[in-house]
Amino acid sequence: MLWLCLHLPQLPLSALDSDSDCPIVDQHGPHRWLITGAGQVRPGTSLAQALMLEPALRTRGRRADAEQAALTGLAHAAYAYGQPVCAQIQDLHEPGRV
């Protein structure tokens, strides 16, 4: 059996159907972290630090339902090449982890 694992770091941004380059923010406990980058800030940067670097930075929150729908669509497309197909979004539960 062959395995293929796909890493889709831009899935949260593409799931929002936005052409904007606003970074996407995820919240872990009381802290918020960028999971996509923009300008001088990189993924994994805390929101507080990103706002210090770029005070005019606008951010958007994640939409888990839209991400899951996009992933399901990709899984349906992958099913044409073979089965079984398993699609899941792994939350790494580590602050700042991309």
Side-chain angles (χ1 to χ4, degrees), residues 21-80:
D21 63 348
C22 291
I24 308 298
V25 176
D26 193 19
Q27 185 155 352
H28 289 279
H31 303 287
R32 295 192 301 172
W33 302 88
L34 273 61
I35 58 173
T36 61
Q40 295 180 25
V41 294
R42 298 286 163 238
T45 306
S46 72
L47 182 58
Q49 185 177 10
L51 289 173
M52 283 179 18
L53 292 171
E54 293 194 23
L57 186 70
R58 291 184 8 205
T59 60
R60 299 184 69 180
R62 285 180 84 171
R63 287 191 42 222
D65 57 334
E67 290 175 32
Q68 188 62 49
L71 186 62
T72 301
L74 289 172
H76 288 170
Y79 189 77

